[in-house]
Amino acid sequence: MGRWRESDQGQPIDTSGELVDGRKFKGVEDLKSVLLSRKEDFTRAFVQHMLAYALGRKLDYYDATTVREITALVARMTTSSRG
């Protein structure tokens, strides 16, 4: 448990997939490239999920401002930590 595996119960694990926008990937490195190419979308979705988890409820329209503010803060933090 928690280790990288190439197979499960003797069957190979398929690491390929397709995102809702039609982008296909094969393996972790391809997925990472796809996510990094859409960093803002990924960050916003991550913030939405974490906020919903923290609040213990689904987000509603009035949470949109908070999501935008946190997403912008995260973007500034990740940009400033590189340089």
Side-chain angles (χ1 to χ4, degrees):
M1 184 178 287
R3 292 185 307 176
W4 182 261
R5 299 172 297 167
E6 298 290 331
S7 63
D8 185 37
Q9 298 182 8
Q11 299 296 314
I13 295 175
D14 182 6
T15 60
S16 64
E18 183 175 351
L19 300 177
V20 295
D21 67 358
R23 287 181 158 184
K24 295 181 181 183
F25 61 90
K26 183 163 181 66
V28 175
E29 289 302 317
D30 279 355
L31 176 59
K32 182 179 177 181
S33 294
V34 169
L35 294 178
L36 286 174
S37 74
R38 298 184 58 185
K39 192 178 285 191
E40 185 177 330
D41 294 334
F42 176 81
T43 303
R44 183 178 47 254
F46 186 78
V47 166
Q48 289 171 330
H49 283 87
M50 292 303 292
L51 184 59
Y53 177 77
L55 296 173
R57 64 172 173 81
K58 291 184 178 183
L59 299 185
D60 212 330
Y61 69 93
Y62 47 81
D63 296 309
T65 300
T66 303
V67 169
R68 279 193 300 274
E69 290 172 355
I70 295 171
T71 301
L73 178 61
V74 170
R76 283 194 305 272
M77 290 173 61
T78 58
T79 302
S80 66
S81 68
R82 286 188 226 150

